[in-house]
Amino acid sequence: MWAHNFQKDDRIIMKKLLLLILASAVIFSCEGYDKFPGADEFAPGKNDSEQTPGDSEEPDNPENPEEPTNPENPEPENPNPENPDPENPGGETPGGETPDTPSGSGWNYDPVTTATIGHAGISYIWDESVIPEITISITKDEWNNLLAAYDKNSHNKEYFPCDITYKKGNDTHTLYGSGVRLRGNTSRRRPEAHKNDGKHVTNGADWQHCHFGINFKKFNKDGKYDIQGIRKFNLKWFKDDPCYVRELFCYDLFRRAGIWTAAFDVYCRVWVHVEGDSKAAYYGVYEMIEPYDDKYINKRKQLFGSADGNLWKCSYDSHGPADLRSPDANMGLDNDKDDFTYECKEYGSTYADAKAQLQDFIKKINGKAHGTPGDSFYTWIKQVCDVELLMRTYAVSVAVGMWDDLWNNANNYYLYFNSNDLYDYKVFLLPYDYDNSLGTSNTYDAAKQDPYNWGDKGVLMERMMEYEEFRNIYRDELKRLVDPAYGLMDTESARQRILDWQSKIQNYITNDTGEDMEIKDRPASWGRVGDYRLMSTSNNYFTEKANTINKLR
């Protein structure tokens, strides 16, 4: 009897022990479960009934709410991988994933040229071998309207009818009924200094440099009003850049480093002919830049994976910084009139969808647990962003000393989301506005500033730098850029490239504005450090920057 009762009691104890072990396992397995991806870490506060940032409704996919509803095939595939598209000569599907390789890295470090994009108009207009000549011809009435619009609102976005003559070598294109507008933020100027009651002074204007935007199709929508598919470009004077190279060098470096999101730009010469003047006013050497718009996206559709997404221009304006911290920041649809911190330039389905997507993106940047590999921010950012491309893009940006950016000044960048879906997309950062670079800085010494601590206004890059894996991509690219073996931004390669460019334009610098009449080796006069040089070996920016980068561990 005693033995029988012992065996019975033993079985009861064993059952209880097994139940205890199973319960412990369940509790342990639930400890790291992310119940509300994108919302649970955003400091919900004491009132749990209130909706908190990031607490938006997720798709019906309970096992992983942030995965696309079709996780087996979330990205468009190359329909014929054995015969890749000529715009994608490597045969990879841009934006696709390969084992242990960040999305998009199939392009590796191959330089980007106009041939990479595979568009005839890109190759023709942004041909570095020829300096095109551009004449803006405008009636006196329309020119006076342009001056009056500036006097009323210097930051207006209004276009005025004009004719454009584009001459490249032996080719001449005249596009009637084009549009011209003034451009620029703090650099925007009135093209005639003396107001003269708001009117043009015939044959006696006091001309001054300003930025222009050109749109061949602004007033004519049919197909003949373009040049090989190109309908727009921006004309930018070399404000605060006596070297005439800073932005040109930066965009060129992006492309040499394999950053295919960078716009194309080349030198050009510009004239303005107002009706009644005996001759056109020569404005001098300008930079002709490819604008970020729907055409830019379409020409890179294979690289972005889709051309049906949402494009945002992000600027520090009167409404505040574009620091990606508040989903309630000033946002609006480009209307050729108002300024917005986040300005939607293009959208795929509706503006409301585009805005909701950007707001959710901002919520997730700020709301997810961060700082530890495998946490929710780390997992999410690798899903929605080509991390390698982002970190390499930022390596180039910091290498050239771009202080007026997202990270340090919450300014001057574009974002493109390649899908209209609230959660399922890839987002790309597009580099923009690099004239204040290469030693010109209004904050710190850009050559000596710690690249790991570039600024404190852009929360996205602050988050990215918390992960050793991401920092290593960034650090390795910085070191590659200044390694003489690659010929990218080491002192001798950079100097020689600059000297070659300057030799092409030096005979065209003198102009009718009387401004910027010679090439000088110095940064902007208002810069924090005024003695950096680009062509001289003494106190050379590239040398100092390489010294800083090579100390990184």
Side-chain angles (χ1 to χ4, degrees):
M1 176 66 70
W2 182 86
H4 174 76
N5 289 338
F6 177 82
Q7 290 174 357
K8 181 178 179 180
D9 292 343
D10 189 49
R11 286 196 299 269
I12 293 172
I13 292 171
M14 290 299 291
K15 286 180 181 180
K16 290 182 179 181
L17 183 59
L18 285 171
L19 288 172
L20 181 61
I21 292 171
L22 286 171
S24 299
V26 170
I27 292 170
F28 179 78
S29 66
C30 290
E31 283 181 351
Y33 180 62
D34 193 1
K35 295 182 291 183
F36 305 106
D40 58 326
E41 301 92 322
F42 199 112
K46 295 181 180 179
N47 188 350
D48 292 336
S49 65
E50 295 181 0
Q51 185 178 11
T52 58
D55 211 1
S56 48
E57 183 175 321
E58 300 282 1
D60 184 17
N61 187 358
E63 292 186 2
N64 189 348
E66 290 183 11
E67 284 290 328
T69 55
N70 183 14
E72 294 182 2
N73 187 18
E75 293 289 325
E77 294 183 353
N78 186 343
N80 188 3
E82 295 182 1
N83 184 21
D85 188 278
E87 294 186 8
N88 182 10
E92 297 84 359
T93 304
E97 300 277 353
T98 54
D100 301 320
T101 305
S103 167
S105 64
W107 287 89
N108 292 320
Y109 304 104
D110 295 338
V112 176
T113 67
T114 55
T116 307
I117 307 304
H119 186 276
I122 292 285
S123 297
Y124 183 81
I125 296 294
W126 284 281
D127 175 6
E128 297 178 358
S129 67
V130 181
I131 298 178
E133 301 175 0
I134 299 167
T135 301
I136 303 168
S137 299
I138 188 168
T139 67
K140 187 173 182 178
D141 286 345
E142 291 298 348
W143 185 255
N144 284 335
N145 288 339
L146 181 149
L147 296 176
Y150 178 90
D151 294 340
K152 183 178 180 180
N153 173 17
S154 62
H155 278 72
N156 78 84
K157 302 178 183 179
E158 187 175 354
Y159 279 93
F160 299 88
C162 68
D163 299 333
I164 300 294
T165 302
Y166 179 93
K167 183 178 180 181
K168 178 189 176 188
N170 295 325
D171 298 343
T172 300
H173 305 265
T174 301
L175 295 106
Y176 300 101
S178 297
V180 61
R181 57 160 289 197
L182 300 178
R183 290 183 55 85
N185 188 9
T186 58
S187 59
R188 190 175 299 206
R189 304 171 85 192
R190 196 176 194 270
E192 290 190 41
H194 294 161
K195 291 191 175 181
N196 188 40
D197 295 326
K199 305 296 184 181
H200 170 63
V201 180
T202 301
N203 287 324
D206 184 8
W207 304 106
Q208 58 182 5
H209 280 142
C210 59
H211 307 311
F212 297 105
I214 302 298
N215 185 343
F216 300 142
K217 288 190 173 184
K218 184 62 182 179
F219 303 105
N220 297 287
K221 302 302 182 184
D222 60 67
K224 67 180 180 180
Y225 291 94
D226 61 33
I227 301 176
Q228 296 192 30
I230 302 301
R231 64 173 184 175
K232 288 182 181 180
F233 49 67
N234 296 328
L235 300 173
K236 190 170 182 179
W237 65 290
F238 288 87
K239 180 183 184 295
D240 297 325
D241 181 14
C243 289
Y244 273 82
V245 296
R246 279 181 164 79
E247 188 162 55
L248 200 82
F249 181 94
C250 294
Y251 279 132
D252 177 79
L253 183 63
F254 277 113
R255 297 191 298 269
R256 286 174 184 266
I259 308 302
W260 52 266
T261 50
F264 285 100
D265 64 333
V266 293
Y267 286 121
C268 67
R269 302 173 69 195
V270 175
W271 285 260
V272 174
H273 192 190
V274 179
E275 179 188 33
D277 285 353
S278 59
K279 67 182 184 68
Y282 177 51
Y283 263 61
V285 175
Y286 268 58
E287 179 189 11
M288 182 171 63
I289 310 173
E290 178 189 17
Y292 291 136
D293 59 10
D294 60 329
K295 299 299 183 184
Y296 160 88
I297 299 295
N298 272 300
K299 291 176 179 66
R300 294 160 176 81
K301 179 178 179 179
Q302 292 294 322
L303 295 163
F304 283 119
S306 167
D308 300 322
N310 305 312
L311 179 66
W312 293 87
K313 181 180 180 181
C314 310
S315 308
Y316 195 144
D317 65 0
S318 59
H319 302 286
D323 54 9
L324 297 175
R325 293 186 188 274
S326 172
D328 299 321
N330 178 254
M331 299 180 185
L333 179 62
D334 183 11
N335 59 13
D336 286 343
K337 182 176 65 174
D338 300 312
D339 289 324
F340 301 99
T341 305
Y342 301 96
E343 183 174 79
C344 185
K345 308 296 283 188
E346 309 288 345
Y347 60 85
S349 57
T350 68
Y351 167 68
D353 288 345
K355 181 178 179 180
Q357 183 186 63
L358 177 60
Q359 288 176 320
D360 188 74
F361 178 69
I362 293 173
K363 291 175 185 177
K364 285 184 166 65
I365 290 175
N366 293 276
K368 287 186 166 292
H370 55 92
T372 304
D375 59 27
S376 61
F377 177 87
Y378 174 91
T379 302
W380 168 74
I381 199 65
K382 293 189 75 170
Q383 290 173 351
V384 302
C385 176
D386 181 341
V387 168
E388 181 184 356
L389 179 61
L390 173 63
M391 300 311 290
R392 290 178 55 211
T393 298
Y394 237 99
V396 177
S397 190
V398 170
V400 299
M402 173 54 161
W403 61 274
D404 193 16
D405 65 344
L406 164 61
W407 195 351
N408 181 63
N409 204 37
N411 193 25
N412 287 329
Y413 63 98
Y414 278 71
L415 292 175
Y416 177 64
F417 296 81
N418 74 349
S419 163
N420 298 297
D421 191 279
L422 186 60
Y423 309 108
D424 181 17
Y425 55 78
K426 289 287 185 183
V427 61
F428 299 85
L429 184 143
L430 315 182
Y432 176 67
D433 202 6
Y434 278 74
D435 49 357
N436 292 335
S437 58
L438 301 180
T440 290
S441 172
N442 196 32
T443 54
Y444 39 55
D445 184 333
K448 297 179 180 178
Q449 178 68 19
D450 179 5
Y452 288 150
N453 295 284
W454 194 246
D456 59 3
K457 287 189 173 65
V459 65
L460 174 61
M461 289 307 298
E462 292 173 22
R463 293 284 189 271
M464 300 301 289
M465 296 302 291
E466 293 175 359
Y467 301 91
E468 183 178 10
E469 174 188 338
F470 302 163
R471 283 198 311 275
N472 288 346
I473 297 171
Y474 172 73
R475 178 204 62 202
D476 292 348
E477 182 68 354
L478 281 167
K479 292 196 172 188
R480 186 178 79 95
L481 291 168
V482 299
D483 187 339
Y486 296 99
L488 294 170
M489 210 188 86
D490 62 283
T491 304
E492 286 309 308
S493 296
R495 284 182 64 251
Q496 190 56 56
R497 202 176 308 144
I498 289 172
L499 292 171
D500 288 346
W501 286 332
Q502 290 173 337
S503 69
K504 295 179 180 179
I505 64 170
Q506 61 185 359
N507 294 330
Y508 306 134
I509 297 298
T510 301
N511 63 83
D512 290 337
T513 72
E515 302 173 321
D516 312 306
M517 300 283 276
E518 60 179 314
I519 296 174
K520 298 178 182 178
D521 188 7
R522 60 174 176 77
S525 58
W526 48 260
R528 182 65 61 89
V529 181
D531 55 355
Y532 277 128
R533 300 294 178 260
L534 302 183
M535 292 94 82
S536 171
T537 56
S538 176
N539 205 31
N540 185 275
Y541 172 82
F542 301 110
T543 302
E544 290 299 324
K545 191 69 180 187
N547 289 339
T548 299
I549 289 172
N550 285 326
K551 294 175 183 176
L552 296 177
R553 295 293 180 265

